Amino acid sequence: RADPPIPAAVTLQRLSTPQDIDLDKVLQDLQLHRRLPFWLFYDDRGSELFRQITSTPEYYLTRTEKSILQRYASEMAEAFGRGRLWIEPGAGCCDKAAYLLSKAEPRAYVAIDISEEPLQVAAEQLASQFPDLPVYLLVADFQQSFSRVHEFLPAAPRVVFYPGSSVGNFTPEQAVDWLARLRRLAGENGELLLGFDLLKDPSLLEAAYNDADGVTAEFHLNLLQHLQDLGVQLDPSAFVHSAVFNRQASRIEMRLQITQETVVTYQQRRIQLRQGEQILTEYAYKFSLEMIRQLAADAGWQLQQHWTDDKQWFALARFTC
Ligand code: AVI
């Protein structure tokens, strides 16, 4: 597909290209700790499967968050004030921001993502929906080019928008680190709008990560295909998907279960996996308001207010520095 033309109000900056994955480190973690990183889910096929997950009947998160944004967009815009620079790390196709942009009258909208293609598609849509809105697309590996992001943005008080409960895929320590980085990105008098999934009946939580059509299972197992594409040798038929809610830790734990003895090889590394072993691939933390308040406070953010749905399944909260 040819690149679409970039509309006049849109500025595209390429700050980094997808970095080479340190595959040996990934395999070492598998060998020593029976762990694989969740970001391995997201190759092109994985991103498409995640998009499909968001429309399964069981995966209430995206639907619910959008309904909150739709319902409270004016109130949120009022709370954050007009004329701010809205920055969305990991923006993807920017569809959630669109609910707010119509009300918030931002100085500009900044979408940051490592994948350029969805950003460009989103830019076309945003430009037709909001012809006067300056849009900045920053193609960046957020971990690496955080400091350079500042060089390209107009001066205005900032709001960082981080929806989707992606904060729940970090361990609490990583989440505090990440929120502290978002605080630096937000700058002086910066604010944060953070989406997070709330604690609820474990059967609803487990259903959301074990949909009946098996889309989540396919998404999970696609990680094995991704590894194979990167040059790892393995037999996918030895792995099955599992997702269980750990009540004590307040998180869904996704694991690949080993159904028969199998070997994973990469260059000189040979990893023998026995039947019954498990490989941890993802956490998805489920929060109380107090949990999220504390995490954010540890990163220097103060909770100001939050918005939720009638069932209190999901929330978006506003924080100030
Ligand atoms: C991206 N993230 C918020 C999703 C979640 O719910 O934790 C990833 C996901 N994993 C399995 N299903 C969805």
Side-chain angles (χ1 to χ4, degrees):
R1 177 184 187 283
D3 284 351
I6 303 284
V10 176
T11 310
L12 174 76
Q13 292 282 356
R14 293 184 186 90
L15 303 187
S16 56
T17 50
Q19 298 293 320
D20 281 342
I21 293 172
D22 187 350
L23 207 51
D24 197 55
K25 165 111 185 17
V26 168
L27 273 287
Q28 189 186 27
D29 226 26
L30 173 64
Q31 188 154 35
L32 299 180
H33 309 295
R34 298 299 192 247
R35 269 221 67 152
L36 284 168
F38 70 84
W39 47 259
L40 271 177
F41 294 147
Y42 300 98
D43 61 355
D44 288 351
R45 174 83 185 129
S47 300
E48 168 55 21
L49 284 165
F50 178 64
R51 208 188 48 70
Q52 290 179 25
I53 288 175
T54 65
S55 31
T56 61
E58 295 91 343
Y59 195 79
Y60 58 84
L61 288 82
T62 313
R63 247 192 325 276
T64 310
E65 185 176 44
K66 285 184 178 173
S67 76
I68 302 168
L69 286 168
Q70 193 162 27
R71 182 163 169 188
Y72 294 108
S74 301
E75 213 178 293
M76 291 176 181
E78 207 58 53
F80 286 100
R82 312 277 190 276
R84 284 185 173 259
L85 190 68
W86 281 74
I87 308 180
E88 185 176 358
C93 59
C94 311
D95 54 336
K96 291 176 187 168
Y99 291 100
L100 296 159
L101 298 179
S102 58
K103 310 283 182 198
E105 294 170 30
R107 163 76 180 77
Y109 169 65
V110 183
I112 307 174
D113 208 292
I114 190 60
S115 302
E116 188 172 327
E117 152 108 38
L119 282 185
Q120 294 212 0
V121 174
E124 287 174 89
Q125 278 164 8
L126 288 174
S128 63
Q129 226 180 327
F130 309 103
D132 300 325
L133 174 71
V135 174
Y136 291 77
L137 306 179
L138 303 183
V139 180
D141 174 345
F142 208 65
Q143 295 293 329
Q144 311 227 346
S145 30
F146 189 92
S147 52
R148 289 199 57 210
V149 160
H150 294 264
E151 296 167 23
F152 303 94
L153 305 180
R158 295 172 178 177
V159 178
V160 174
F161 179 42
Y162 197 58
S165 204
S166 293
V167 69
N169 297 133
F170 295 122
T171 63
E173 299 72 37
Q174 292 168 335
V176 171
D177 264 18
W178 176 247
L179 291 168
R181 299 187 64 186
L182 294 188
R183 186 164 179 265
R184 288 195 290 278
L185 178 63
E188 219 179 310
N189 298 320
E191 302 198 359
L192 169 69
L193 180 58
L194 181 70
F196 52 97
D197 198 17
L198 292 168
L199 265 170
K200 59 186 67 62
D201 183 337
S203 65
L204 292 166
L205 292 171
E206 288 189 350
Y209 293 81
N210 291 283
D211 63 282
D213 283 345
V215 186
T216 307
E218 203 183 330
F219 167 74
H220 197 179
L221 296 171
N222 177 66
L223 171 155
L224 300 169
Q225 181 61 56
H226 189 187
L227 281 173
Q228 286 177 295
D229 293 346
L230 294 169
V232 177
Q233 285 163 316
L234 56 84
D235 172 10
S237 70
F239 300 78
V240 295
H241 158 75
S242 87
V244 175
F245 184 61
N246 177 336
R247 223 180 256 262
Q248 220 177 356
S250 197
R251 65 190 180 210
I252 289 284
E253 297 175 349
M254 293 236 298
R255 289 191 171 82
L256 292 166
Q257 308 277 350
I258 307 302
T259 56
Q260 69 207 42
E261 172 134 359
T262 194
V263 176
V264 175
T265 46
Y266 178 67
Q267 295 175 347
Q268 310 314 323
R269 215 178 268 282
R270 191 172 180 281
I271 306 167
Q272 194 147 8
L273 300 169
R274 290 179 307 281
Q275 183 183 9
E277 282 202 83
Q278 306 180 341
I279 298 157
L280 180 65
T281 53
E282 186 186 56
Y283 291 141
Y285 276 84
K286 307 299 159 187
F287 301 98
S288 64
L289 195 61
E290 178 49 27
M291 281 165 70
I292 207 82
R293 192 197 62 72
Q294 189 58 57
L295 271 187
D298 289 348
W301 290 106
Q302 271 86 54
L303 176 66
Q304 298 299 334
Q305 64 196 113
H306 74 286
W307 296 269
T308 185
D309 54 290
D310 291 340
K311 294 182 188 143
Q312 308 209 336
W313 278 6
F314 200 93
L316 286 134
R318 175 176 162 250
F319 297 87
T320 54
C321 291

